[in-house]
Amino acid sequence: MQLDIRLSAARGAPGALALPVYSSGEREFDDELTAFLADAEHQGGPGEISSLPRPLRKPHKVFLVGVGDGGPAGWRAFGAAVTRSASRETSVTVELPADLDGDRLRALVEGLKLASYRFREVPLAADKAPKLRKVHLVGPTDEAAVTAGLVTADVTTLARDWVNKNSADKSPAWLAGRIQKAAAKVPGVGVRIREPRELADEGFGGILAVGGGSSRGPRLVELTYTPKNPTKHVVLVGKGITFDTGGISIKPAAAMLLMRKDMGGAAAVVGALLGAAQLKLPVKVTVLAPLAENAVSGGAFRPGDVVRHYGGATSEILNTDAEGRVVLADALAYAVRKLRPDVLVDLATLTGAQNVALGKRTAALYADSDDLAEALTVAGAEAGERMWRLPLPGDYVEELVSDVADWVNSTEVGGGSVMAALYLREFTGALRPRWAHLDMSSVAWSDGIDKDLSKGATGWGVRTLLRWLEAEAV
Ligand code: BES
Ligand code: MN
Ligand code: ZN
């Protein structure tokens, strides 16, 4: 849905009007409506909606919408609820407190825009499609906050579209091409795509091993956003498995069904970089997205194989379904040796164990640095994306040592998400104290509508990373 959101100076004579209600009971009504609305039952819970028709009068419909305690999360839920409940209107006017601050206004815009997201491989019948095209926000004047919200929603939408795309159409080359096309539209962003030949020449053995089973070869996408006088250099690495069958250690059918989402980390880091470039943040950002399809064929890597990563470290493959860490190891080693950033963050749909530990709406965060962990957690809280820090116990690392190579790519000692994070840490070299890893397996996908999330891809990570990059910039 194309939703045009803009600030308006005056209410005018709207057809449909949405008004906020706080859980404290406070309401901000215009006088002429006060009497009509005074008796309306409403608890003000975030996103709670009452739809009040007013036949033959204007506005012909008033939506009372809850903002909870009036924090950013409440306003995001408010925005999402307005979009969903006013979907049969062509336009809606939203009356807001004139002093609504930038964080809240931005959250509201994100909620409005992202709740209108729906992915379809074929278009919805016209009579089923939402009609809402215009939202007028009356009161606030902070255009920069609206722009930040619109950009954030746009790049989140881009990530969602890529994750939702079915894997038949989503080969590594296709995704690399899409990323290149999106990047070409944003000034200051450069792209390099490595094909299998170049990956072999430069020693990216992990990416080649994982991509070897597919007729559609792997790629490594390197995106760079370079502002004029960068304050620092951040490298973002994202897992980009365009479909994860598990490889020869094949997944059971139910576990394989949604594995087109296994490039959610790559989609998120690309979205964040493009957002940073559109908002012209003064941070240099490089994205590394190793893209591969983990398929089954005579060319697939095998249990017992030893692969040599970029930089020379080796992994004994005990399970071809632990493929994410094998491609990420190459990318992390490359970032550390060649890019030498100030900070290194990776995002990956890495383990089912993350979902077991934290459930559907909380990602796992790993970092040796308390400051980096705190900064990401705060950015996530502001973005409406929750994460929880899990430990990196050094004494577990012995379980990762191979008899025949440096490391094993899989363990069976429990704590699957922790063990995967510990494996990745071994590839961070001198950046180890300035590295963080987000295991976003569960949060990459939503099984149904939940506030600004629609069923399917969530675009998780884009909003957190953008806010974190904004904070890093100063
Ligand atoms: N892509 C999966 C992890 C995953 C599972 C993401 C469910 C989203 C939802 C990953 O490649 C994987 O298969 N991990 C294995 C690791 C194991 C073999 C050590 C897992 O979690 O079972
Ligand atoms: Mn796997
Ligand atoms: Zn995977």
Side-chain angles (χ1 to χ4, degrees):
M1 188 198 319
Q2 276 305 348
L3 199 56
D4 179 19
I5 299 170
R6 56 183 62 174
L7 296 177
S8 297
R11 184 203 279 182
L17 179 67
L19 300 167
V21 182
Y22 296 82
S23 49
S24 63
E26 194 189 329
R27 300 180 185 191
E28 302 184 50
F29 302 141
D30 188 77
D31 284 347
E32 57 175 290
L33 287 168
T34 308
F36 168 72
L37 294 169
D39 294 335
E41 293 277 338
H42 201 295
Q43 306 309 314
E48 180 185 337
I49 281 261
S50 301
S51 169
L52 311 171
R54 298 174 8 117
L56 306 178
R57 277 181 295 172
K58 275 211 141 190
H60 67 260
K61 196 172 265 179
V62 175
F63 298 102
L64 294 183
V65 187
V67 284
D69 63 2
W75 283 103
R76 187 177 291 107
F78 171 94
V82 168
T83 296
R84 294 192 194 283
S85 54
S87 69
R88 308 310 297 165
E89 310 291 332
T90 52
S91 87
V92 63
T93 293
V94 185
E95 193 140 303
L96 299 164
D99 59 353
L100 193 69
D101 72 13
D103 286 345
R104 288 171 171 79
L105 182 55
R106 177 181 182 172
L108 161 64
V109 171
E110 290 176 7
L112 283 165
K113 193 97 192 190
L114 287 171
S116 75
Y117 178 83
R118 194 184 303 208
F119 180 81
R120 295 274 309 173
E121 289 285 2
V122 292
L124 263 183
D127 59 329
K128 295 240 170 67
K131 293 193 168 65
L132 187 63
R133 292 289 174 275
K134 280 203 171 92
V135 182
H136 299 282
L137 305 178
V138 183
T141 52
D142 189 347
E143 291 281 358
V146 175
T147 302
L150 291 176
V151 167
T152 307
D154 275 354
V155 289
T156 303
T157 295
L158 198 61
R160 286 183 180 180
D161 276 344
W162 289 336
V163 176
N164 278 324
K165 190 78 185 162
N166 71 79
S167 292
D169 296 335
K170 187 166 64 185
S171 67
W174 179 90
L175 185 54
R178 280 305 163 117
I179 294 170
Q180 185 166 40
K181 221 172 138 189
K185 290 187 197 144
V186 188
V189 180
V191 195
R192 174 166 180 199
I193 297 169
R194 287 178 175 81
E195 311 232 336
R197 262 296 280 281
E198 299 159 281
L199 292 172
D201 289 346
E202 294 179 56
F204 289 94
I207 299 172
L208 285 167
V210 172
S214 174
S215 58
R216 310 184 295 182
R219 299 288 186 274
L220 175 61
V221 174
E222 182 170 348
L223 275 185
T224 315
Y225 160 58
T226 319
K228 283 264 147 49
N229 295 302
T231 52
K232 57 177 75 157
H233 181 198
V234 173
V235 172
L236 303 174
V237 176
K239 171 178 172 180
I241 300 300
T242 58
F243 194 76
D244 183 10
T245 66
I248 288 176
S249 316
I250 197 163
K251 285 183 185 293
M256 201 190 294
L257 179 62
L258 288 175
M259 280 302 139
R260 67 178 184 278
K261 73 179 165 187
D262 212 17
M263 34 58 71
V269 294
V270 170
L273 181 145
L274 296 177
Q278 286 176 47
L279 295 174
K280 300 191 168 61
L281 302 185
V283 197
K284 177 174 173 178
V285 186
T286 304
V287 152
L288 294 173
L291 309 179
E293 183 170 40
N294 189 19
V296 192
S297 77
F301 70 145
R302 294 161 167 78
D305 286 357
V306 173
V307 308
R308 181 174 297 271
H309 297 284
Y310 186 91
T314 51
S315 291
E316 179 189 5
I317 304 302
L318 295 186
N319 190 322
T320 63
D321 197 11
E323 84 297 338
R325 66 196 78 181
V326 177
V327 301
L328 291 172
D330 279 17
L332 292 172
Y334 173 78
V336 171
R337 281 157 185 266
K338 283 285 156 85
L339 304 177
R340 300 172 184 277
D342 298 300
V343 195
L344 177 61
V345 178
D346 76 78
L347 270 69
T349 48
L350 203 58
T351 68
Q354 176 270 327
N355 181 41
V356 175
L358 295 172
K360 67 176 184 175
R361 290 279 189 274
T362 309
L365 164 67
Y366 299 88
D368 283 336
S369 158
D370 295 344
D371 288 346
L372 181 54
E374 175 71 9
L376 285 164
T377 305
V378 167
E382 287 168 357
E385 295 179 327
R386 188 168 49 213
M387 60 190 77
W388 195 259
R389 190 177 179 189
L390 293 178
L392 289 161
D395 53 319
Y396 291 7
V397 174
E398 63 188 44
E399 304 288 347
L400 289 168
V401 175
S402 163
D403 296 334
V404 298
D406 293 316
W407 310 107
V408 293
N409 82 322
S410 161
T411 54
E412 278 176 358
V413 291
S417 180
V418 172
M419 296 310 293
L422 285 169
Y423 172 94
L424 294 181
R425 189 173 70 174
E426 293 303 326
F427 293 86
T428 60
L431 268 135
R432 179 168 163 158
R434 286 170 289 140
W435 159 78
H437 159 60
L438 285 159
D439 189 341
M440 50 173 284
S441 303
S442 68
V443 293
W445 198 264
S446 176
D447 292 328
I449 291 172
D450 182 8
K451 302 193 178 75
D452 49 275
L453 304 180
S454 298
K455 184 172 177 173
T458 59
W460 195 95
V462 175
R463 287 186 264 177
T464 294
L465 287 175
L466 252 185
R467 278 174 170 84
W468 174 70
L469 288 170
E470 288 168 38
E472 285 290 291
V474 290

